[in-house]
């Protein structure tokens, strides 16, 4: 019975070419997540699921396992993270492995660190959870958002004066940051139950919650690293 970390790093990024190996502060993006996973000492296996031999060579320099390349089926644009996870677990099962938990760590969350991973797993264990999903406080309350009329009128944008005048008293909202997903084997076989029974939020700092999707995100992440809010990979 083991704990498995899966780091999904497909080579076919459409929005930003080769995003998962693009250099961030001089380090390939995927390297940050591999290091955080290994430094956490939580996992029996830290593996990267990729369809690329080029990516595999880079990944191995950081110490992660790649026992097999991703299949063509799970390398498609419409394949989900959970399609990938199920394929990986099945491959390991054929080798005789059984896992108590599977953790998905996306390389697009490079500022998530080992302490975040340890904290999320402590919550998973303490609550005997089916699943843990990382979140952070939303940068802006959704109560400050609304549609805009075609004529650009703001007449009904703020439905009540309270939303405008009492900003500090608005309820605190959180967003899923995509950094950590932990599930047990029961949830893996029925992923539709992930957000339901016995699922808990692990709250992370906003500075650890950057989700890399564009050049601007790289600039922001590098600025955070340079201000030493998070350490650079050595």
């Amino acid at each position: 019975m083991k704990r498995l970390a899966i780091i999904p790093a497909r080579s076919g990024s459409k929005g930003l070419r080769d995003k998962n190996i693009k250099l961030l502060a001089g380090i390939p993006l995927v390297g940050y997540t591999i290091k955080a996973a290994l430094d956490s000492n939580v996992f029996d296996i830290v593996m990267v699921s990729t369809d690329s031999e080029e990516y595999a060579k880079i990944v191995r320099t950081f110490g992660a396992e790649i026992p097999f390349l991703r299949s063509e089926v799970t390398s498609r644009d419409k394949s989900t993270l959970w399609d990938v996870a199920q394929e990986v677990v099945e491959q390991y099962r054929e080798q005789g492995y059984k896992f108590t938990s599977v953790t998905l760590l996306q390389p697009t969350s490079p500022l998530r660190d080992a302490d975040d991973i340890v904290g999320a797993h402590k919550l998973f264990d303490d609550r005997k959870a089916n699943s843990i999903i990382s979140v952070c406080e939303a940068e802006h309350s959704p109560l400050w958002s609304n549609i805009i009329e075609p004529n650009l009128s703001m007449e009904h944008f703020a439905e009540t004066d309270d939303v405008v005048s009492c900003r500090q008293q608005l309820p605190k909202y959180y967003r899923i940051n995509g950094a950590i997903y932990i599930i047990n084997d029961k949830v893996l076989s029925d992923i539709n139950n992930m957000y339901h029974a016995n699922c808990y939020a692990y709250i992370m700092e906003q500075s650890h919650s950057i989700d890399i999707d564009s050049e601007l995100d790289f600039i922001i992440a590098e600025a955070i690293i340079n201000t030493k809010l998070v350490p650079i990979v050595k």
Side-chain angles (χ1 to χ4, degrees), residues 79-94:
S79 299
T80 69
L81 290 176
W82 305 109
D83 294 332
V84 173
Q86 288 172 332
E87 178 182 72
V88 168
V89 169
E90 185 57 36
Q91 292 268 17
Y92 274 111
R93 279 177 181 158
E94 291 176 1

Side-chain angles (χ1 to χ4, degrees), residues 155-171:
E155 182 179 357
H156 301 293
F157 190 88
E159 295 296 335
T160 68
D161 291 339
D162 290 343
V163 172
V164 175
S165 62
C166 301
R167 176 171 57 86
Q168 292 81 2
Q169 297 178 26
L170 293 176

Side-chain angles (χ1 to χ4, degrees), residues 33-190:
T33 294
I34 295 171
K35 185 175 189 301
L38 293 172
D39 286 353
S40 72
N41 291 314
V42 164
F43 305 107
D44 298 283
I45 297 174
V46 174
M47 73 86 63
V48 173
S49 172
T50 185
D51 57 337
S52 166
E53 287 286 2
E54 178 189 2
Y55 280 31
K57 290 178 182 178
I58 294 170
V59 162
R60 290 188 181 106
T61 67
F62 285 92
E65 295 185 15
I66 301 188
F68 40 80
L69 291 181
R70 191 183 297 191
S71 71
E72 182 180 345
V73 172
T74 56
S75 299
R76 297 170 182 166
D77 290 342
K78 292 184 179 180
S79 299
T80 69
L81 290 176
W82 305 109
D83 294 332
V84 173
Q86 288 172 332
E87 178 182 72
V88 168
V89 169
E90 185 57 36
Q91 292 268 17
Y92 274 111
R93 279 177 181 158
E94 291 176 1
Q95 300 176 22
Y97 290 94
K98 185 176 181 181
F99 300 103
T100 54
S101 68
V102 175
T103 302
L104 278 172
L105 301 170
Q106 298 190 87
T108 48
S109 297
L111 307 186
R112 166 245 299 109
D113 62 18
D115 288 341
D116 292 320
I117 296 171
V118 171
H121 277 82
K122 184 177 186 306
L123 182 63
F124 180 77
D125 293 338
D126 290 348
R127 299 292 179 91
K128 296 180 172 54
N130 287 336
S131 55
I132 297 291
I133 300 170
S134 62
V135 303
C136 67
E137 186 176 347
E139 288 76 4
H140 303 285
S141 171
L143 296 178
W144 278 70
S145 302
N146 208 332
I147 62 171
I148 297 291
E149 299 294 336
N151 67 356
L152 306 183
S153 171
M154 295 282 286
E155 182 179 357
H156 301 293
F157 190 88
E159 295 296 335
T160 68
D161 291 339
D162 290 343
V163 172
V164 175
S165 62
C166 301
R167 176 171 57 86
Q168 292 81 2
Q169 297 178 26
L170 293 176
K172 188 176 291 188
Y173 281 79
Y174 295 86
R175 64 172 176 85
I176 295 171
N177 65 7
I180 303 171
Y181 297 89
I182 309 173
I183 57 176
N184 61 19
D185 56 352
K186 183 187 344 182
V187 173
L188 186 63
S189 63
D190 186 9

